[in-house]
Amino acid sequence: MLCDLLGINPVTIGQAIEATRQLLDEQKISITPTVVRYFTRAEDLRAWATGVAPAEHPSAIPTHQALTDPALTGTSREALHALLEELIVPYAAAIELRRHRQRGGDRRPGSRGGVFRQKMTDGDRILATILYRRRVCGLDPLAELFGVCRSTLWNAIKDVLPILEARRIDITPAEHRHMTAADLLASVNEPQTEDHRVGRG
């Protein structure tokens, strides 16, 4: 999401954050965290700040908020946010390495790489893969929830799975599998017992 807001790639922003953290530590500057709230898209953050839902996706905010519900992800939103923050840079680096190999070298100067809007953010791809591994619903309902086609979702999942496996992120299937997107969304509005099932293998 920060990459979307700032117009730079995840690897670059990851390196910048790491360098800035070191400077902050050296200068003994502390930054108080804000109230925990997880966003996966820049427009959702803008909408939350302004109180106005994006015109093109009026239901995006409640849907994305619902998808991070602990009953679906198997972990708290705080732990999910930490996990996504941990995975997003190595995921982006792995994708860039794959593209480098496919190109047979570095991107040519002046090429338009990275300027086209992606159908899913990196955070969405990781979240979707967690939900897929949890088996909270099938591919078609999950694709509907993320607003992409089945093939786009499946390609994203195939990209993320090796990252989860390499880091031994253990994801236990949920106890209930929803048949439709509407059924899944309705379930998170009902009282749930939080079931923490995402952890290290």
Side-chain angles (χ1 to χ4, degrees), residues 58-131:
S59 62
I61 295 174
T63 298
H64 275 70
Q65 182 72 2
L67 292 176
T68 63
D69 190 284
L72 300 179
T73 64
T75 190
S76 67
R77 285 191 170 94
E78 292 89 341
L80 175 65
H81 178 82
L83 178 61
L84 292 175
E85 188 177 61
E86 174 188 344
L87 295 178
I88 200 164
V89 171
Y91 164 74
I95 296 302
E96 181 56 33
L97 177 60
R98 187 191 69 188
R99 292 171 180 167
H100 183 276
R101 289 172 176 169
Q102 290 173 340
R103 290 192 303 265
D106 294 335
R107 184 178 290 112
R108 293 179 180 179
S111 65
R112 293 169 57 83
V115 302
F116 298 106
R117 183 174 181 81
Q118 299 297 309
K119 295 180 179 179
M120 297 179 73
T121 66
D122 290 346
D124 277 348
R125 291 182 176 93
I126 298 171
L127 174 59
T129 305
I130 290 173
L131 296 175

Side-chain angles (χ1 to χ4, degrees), residues 133-134 164 167-173 197-201:
R133 289 296 296 269
R134 287 270 292 164
L164 296 179
R167 292 182 172 251
R168 297 184 178 181
I169 306 298
D170 182 36
I171 302 176
T172 303
R197 297 296 181 89
V198 178
R200 303 290 180 179

Side-chain angles (χ1 to χ4, degrees), residues 126-178:
I126 298 171
L127 174 59
T129 305
I130 290 173
L131 296 175
Y132 171 77
R133 289 296 296 269
R134 287 270 292 164
R135 299 176 188 171
V136 297
C137 64
L139 276 175
D140 288 331
L142 200 57
E144 179 183 343
L145 289 163
F146 281 93
V148 297
C149 67
R150 180 190 176 102
S151 60
T152 295
L153 177 67
W154 182 236
N155 288 336
I157 290 172
K158 289 192 297 183
D159 282 340
V160 176
L161 283 176
I163 306 300
L164 296 179
E165 292 168 357
R167 292 182 172 251
R168 297 184 178 181
I169 306 298
D170 182 36
I171 302 176
T172 303
E175 295 181 358
H176 180 71
R177 184 179 176 88
H178 303 281

Side-chain angles (χ1 to χ4, degrees), residues 43-44 46-48 50-62:
E43 55 262 41
D44 292 345
R46 294 190 187 100
W48 173 75
T50 62
V52 179
E56 69 277 19
H57 296 294
S59 62
I61 295 174

